[in-house]
Amino acid sequence: MTDNVLFTVDGAVATITLNRPDKLNAATPEMAKAIVAAVTACNDSDTIRCVIVTGAGPKAFCAGSDIAELDSYATPWDFRNRSDYCDAIHRLLKPTIAAVNGYALGGGLETALSCDIRLASSNARFAAPEIKLGWIGGGGMAAMLAHSIGLSNAALMIMSGDLIDAQRALQWGLVSEVVEPEALMDRARELAVTIASRAPIAAETAKLNLRAAVSMPLDKAMEYERDLQAICFATDDAKEGRAAFAEKRPPRFRRR
């Protein structure tokens, strides 16, 4: 790990914090490796049930990759096959919440898009500015933006590279809620605790199901959903849920 990426666990909720506020939390290769390690720890844990991703300080969630580090790759092929922080967040098996404070630019926007739920502070700003530097995003920018906000809005962001504010992000469906900056982490934790209280295998399969819904033909996605439902129904947690309902008590889920 590195001091520039903080990984904390509180009960069933883990938090990954990009901690380089003096550089707008721009990600370095060292930070990418630390994020990969944090994701691996989350995926391997039976007790972590929801993950918050955020940035330190009031100015930025993440300004993307540190431009000064990009020339350190020996070849374009090395750059293409780098350890990527956006890919790592996308590989999280547990439900994820992006708590977006300040700027989410380039790879920072892709990191937020890689999370299942996005909350924004009122000072959040979003952009895909790579076109201004001569390239395009490579962490799923086009696909995830198009699914989130539609082709025309995605084209506007990717082809102009210009910022949109939190209210427009909410209007377009890029984020689910906008709150005041001082309330952002409290709201993220509140939501994370709620999700963590639900049946964890069902939550993880819900995540798989949602991804299938936007990547499969409708009939195949519906078949896949039925398969996932059958898997969940066979778990000890589902039996516990039915028993708790019958006995009028809170369920005690064990991810079994």
Side-chain angles (χ1 to χ4, degrees), residues 212-224:
V214 298
S215 62
M216 290 182 177
L218 178 60
D219 58 339
K220 294 300 181 183
M222 293 176 68
E223 288 178 18
Y224 185 59

Side-chain angles (χ1 to χ4, degrees), residues 180-205:
E180 291 307 306
E182 61 273 14
L184 178 64
M185 288 308 297
D186 286 344
R187 176 58 183 140
R189 292 188 186 101
E190 176 188 39
L191 181 57
V193 168
T194 296
I195 293 171
S197 73
R198 309 309 190 206
I201 293 175
E204 292 175 37
T205 53

Side-chain angles (χ1 to χ4, degrees), residues 224-238:
Y224 185 59
E225 179 174 89
R226 186 60 58 85
D227 292 341
L228 292 176
Q229 183 190 49
I231 291 169
C232 288
F233 194 75
T235 63
D236 289 344
D237 279 349

Side-chain angles (χ1 to χ4, degrees), residues 4-252:
N4 289 333
V5 175
L6 306 180
F7 179 61
T8 58
V9 180
D10 183 4
V13 177
T15 302
I16 300 171
T17 304
L18 306 183
N19 186 40
R20 202 177 173 220
D22 56 321
K23 297 293 185 180
L24 300 181
N25 298 317
T28 64
E30 179 188 38
M31 290 170 67
K33 292 176 182 177
I35 292 168
V36 169
V39 167
T40 299
C42 291
N43 286 345
D44 288 347
S45 172
D46 274 341
T47 57
I48 293 171
R49 298 183 179 180
C50 191
V51 183
I52 299 169
V53 181
T54 194
K59 293 184 179 180
F61 172 77
C62 175
S65 298
D66 189 330
I67 304 300
E69 297 279 346
L70 295 182
D71 287 336
S72 66
Y73 295 97
T75 68
W77 191 241
D78 288 336
F79 173 68
R80 185 255 181 266
N81 294 308
R82 67 196 182 280
S83 180
D84 188 78
Y85 52 98
C86 308
D87 291 348
I89 298 300
H90 192 74
R91 287 195 298 269
L92 270 164
L93 303 177
K94 314 297 173 72
T96 52
I97 300 168
V100 181
N101 45 313
Y103 293 110
L105 310 178
L109 174 55
E110 290 168 330
T111 297
L113 286 165
S114 296
C115 294
D116 303 307
I117 299 168
R118 291 172 291 283
L119 309 178
S121 67
S122 57
N123 72 337
R125 300 290 183 269
F126 303 85
E130 290 91 344
I131 197 167
K132 296 181 177 182
L133 299 175
W135 62 87
I136 60 171
M141 181 73 81
M144 292 190 291
L145 265 185
H147 282 306
S148 295
I149 63 176
L151 282 172
S152 180
N153 290 333
L156 188 155
M157 291 189 71
I158 292 170
M159 294 177 184
S160 74
D162 290 339
L163 290 165
I164 65 168
D165 63 18
Q167 285 303 319
R168 179 158 295 189
L170 180 65
Q171 178 187 354
W172 285 356
L174 181 58
V175 301
S176 296
E177 296 178 16
V178 175
V179 300
E180 291 307 306
E182 61 273 14
L184 178 64
M185 288 308 297
D186 286 344
R187 176 58 183 140
R189 292 188 186 101
E190 176 188 39
L191 181 57
V193 168
T194 296
I195 293 171
S197 73
R198 309 309 190 206
I201 293 175
E204 292 175 37
T205 53
K207 177 168 183 159
L208 293 172
N209 193 29
L210 285 164
R211 289 189 175 177
V214 298
S215 62
M216 290 182 177
L218 178 60
D219 58 339
K220 294 300 181 183
M222 293 176 68
E223 288 178 18
Y224 185 59
E225 179 174 89
R226 186 60 58 85
D227 292 341
L228 292 176
Q229 183 190 49
I231 291 169
C232 288
F233 194 75
T235 63
D236 289 344
D237 279 349
K239 295 176 186 176
E240 166 63 11
R242 296 193 295 274
F245 179 83
E247 296 166 15
K248 296 181 172 59
R249 61 170 175 80
R252 296 182 292 272

